Amino acid sequence: MFVLNVKAVIFDLDGTIIDSKKDIVIAANMAFSEFNLPTLSEEILASFIGKGAESVIKMGLGEKNMHLFDRVFDRFEKIYGESCTRYTSLFPGVRETLNFLKERKINIGIATLKRRILTEKILQHFRIEKYFSAVVCLEDVKNIKPHPEVIRKLLQKMNNVPEETLYIGDSEVDVLCGKNAGVYTCAVTYGTGDLQSIVALQPDFIITNLTKLNILLS
């Protein structure tokens, strides 16, 4: 059986560590409603989450209403900032996996398209911030995923190299980001990404639950 020998594991946040879609969808639809715009189903809006909050609002607005983007996005950020932990939860196996990696002295990082103030608020809410040696957020990069800048910055901060690093995410964007950075890639099946599209990109590993990492890295 193949066992992966890595010294660093980097996680995407939304859809990989936290199930945040309900809070994001509610905030987006509240913002749309305030401007008398049509709301969208959770399924449709959640499918845009992997590309960042701006993408959620842009896709929700469509070309016809794009002139309202700045105002709607500002309202979304305010609403979501106040309620980002209301319904959000950790996915099953997150705490056990973080403990497992920490015990094995594996460096742990986060690569997210979320703003730092929200990321820190959520990590502190679930009391898991202590596990991460580095966190790179939206404001820290000039190029968003799938550009590899976010992973490269993390590797610098964590003092690790691509050949000894595993990146875990839930979307096609994450798989491409990892491949572009030259790290091992692992996709989870429980997030918001389209599984068929993820499989087509041929990540190194696909897992149904984060605890499967315990087997992969044992």
Side-chain angles (χ1 to χ4, degrees), residues 63-146:
E63 282 300 320
K64 187 175 75 170
N65 298 307
M66 197 57 67
H67 63 286
L68 293 170
F69 172 76
D70 288 339
R71 292 163 66 198
V72 175
F73 187 68
D74 283 348
R75 280 301 296 146
F76 163 78
E77 284 208 305
K78 181 165 178 39
I79 295 165
Y80 182 60
E82 293 170 352
S83 61
C84 64
T85 58
R86 184 168 296 164
Y87 296 108
T88 292
S89 60
L90 294 180
F91 280 109
V94 168
R95 289 190 193 278
E96 298 95 312
T97 301
L98 292 176
N99 277 320
F100 170 81
L101 296 174
K102 205 73 173 174
E103 286 169 5
R104 290 182 65 86
K105 296 182 168 41
I106 292 174
N107 245 350
I108 314 171
I110 286 183
T112 180
L113 293 177
K114 229 177 188 64
R115 294 193 185 279
R116 181 164 294 278
I117 190 168
L118 296 171
T119 300
E120 290 178 350
K121 181 176 179 178
I122 289 166
L123 295 181
Q124 289 164 12
H125 174 77
F126 291 110
R127 298 181 182 178
I128 57 172
E129 72 277 10
K130 64 184 179 183
Y131 291 101
F132 304 101
S133 58
V135 177
V136 174
C137 302
L138 182 64
E139 305 95 314
D140 303 321
V141 295
K142 292 178 182 174
N143 306 286
I144 64 170
K145 303 174 190 176

Side-chain angles (χ1 to χ4, degrees), residues 17-216:
I17 287 180
I18 59 168
D19 183 357
S20 54
K21 65 179 179 291
K22 188 169 183 178
D23 281 326
I24 292 172
V25 168
I26 289 172
N29 276 330
M30 283 178 70
F32 294 148
S33 294
E34 288 186 17
F35 289 87
N36 297 313
L37 297 168
T39 58
L40 295 171
S41 72
E42 181 173 309
E43 184 181 4
I44 290 173
L45 283 175
S47 69
F48 306 141
I49 289 174
K51 296 175 183 175
E54 287 194 11
S55 178
V56 172
I57 300 304
K58 283 179 179 175
M59 298 300 284
L61 287 173
E63 282 300 320
K64 187 175 75 170
N65 298 307
M66 197 57 67
H67 63 286
L68 293 170
F69 172 76
D70 288 339
R71 292 163 66 198
V72 175
F73 187 68
D74 283 348
R75 280 301 296 146
F76 163 78
E77 284 208 305
K78 181 165 178 39
I79 295 165
Y80 182 60
E82 293 170 352
S83 61
C84 64
T85 58
R86 184 168 296 164
Y87 296 108
T88 292
S89 60
L90 294 180
F91 280 109
V94 168
R95 289 190 193 278
E96 298 95 312
T97 301
L98 292 176
N99 277 320
F100 170 81
L101 296 174
K102 205 73 173 174
E103 286 169 5
R104 290 182 65 86
K105 296 182 168 41
I106 292 174
N107 245 350
I108 314 171
I110 286 183
T112 180
L113 293 177
K114 229 177 188 64
R115 294 193 185 279
R116 181 164 294 278
I117 190 168
L118 296 171
T119 300
E120 290 178 350
K121 181 176 179 178
I122 289 166
L123 295 181
Q124 289 164 12
H125 174 77
F126 291 110
R127 298 181 182 178
I128 57 172
E129 72 277 10
K130 64 184 179 183
Y131 291 101
F132 304 101
S133 58
V135 177
V136 174
C137 302
L138 182 64
E139 305 95 314
D140 303 321
V141 295
K142 292 178 182 174
N143 306 286
I144 64 170
K145 303 174 190 176
H147 192 281
E149 183 183 358
V150 63
I151 292 179
R152 288 174 180 165
K153 286 209 165 190
L154 274 166
L155 293 177
Q156 266 187 322
K157 289 174 178 285
M158 298 164 73
N159 198 27
N160 290 107
V161 295
E163 299 78 33
E164 62 187 26
T165 303
L166 175 68
Y167 178 49
I168 305 168
D170 71 305
S171 71
E172 310 95 280
V173 169
D174 290 312
V175 176
L176 286 171
C177 183
K179 285 181 176 289
N180 290 338
V183 300
Y184 289 106
T185 55
C186 178
V188 298
T189 61
Y190 54 74
T192 58
D194 177 67
L195 184 56
Q196 193 172 351
S197 301
I198 289 169
V199 170
L201 291 173
Q202 297 183 312
D204 296 300
F205 309 98
I206 297 177
I207 56 177
T208 56
N209 184 293
L210 276 184
T211 56
K212 303 290 184 186
L213 276 183
N214 300 15
I215 301 169
L216 191 61

